[in-house]
Amino acid sequence: MSPVKEQLMSRLKLLPDTRLSEVLDFVEFLASRGHDIDEPLLRLSGILKATSLSAEAIEAELYGTGGN
């Protein structure tokens, strides 16, 4: 067993049942989020493929001013 799991198990043994229910809810929430959180850079890869914009182009896009 990993050191983190061992720490978790030892601390869980100290909690009252009411708190264990909260821990279980949180663990189920984390499990429902899936495994995509293990690879955050892959989620951003589509965003990073964009072309760069000049300050003027950004201003034009946001405020309708500046030049293209």
Side-chain angles (χ1 to χ4, degrees):
M1 189 179 304
S2 73
V4 173
K5 286 182 182 180
E6 288 177 13
Q7 280 184 314
L8 189 56
M9 293 300 292
S10 67
R11 293 195 182 181
L12 285 173
K13 290 176 184 177
L14 302 174
L15 290 176
D17 287 345
T18 55
R19 294 293 183 190
L20 288 174
S21 296
E22 292 178 39
V23 172
L24 180 58
D25 288 344
F26 183 66
V27 169
E28 288 175 347
F29 164 74
L30 291 176
S32 72
R33 289 176 51 186
H35 299 287
D36 61 329
I37 56 176
D38 293 336
E39 301 174 18
L41 290 178
L42 291 179
R43 290 185 295 170
L44 294 176
S45 64
I47 296 169
L48 298 176
K49 292 179 183 177
T51 59
S52 61
L53 298 173
S54 67
E56 292 82 15
I58 293 171
E59 189 172 317
E61 183 71 27
L62 292 175
Y63 307 110
T65 61
N68 284 339

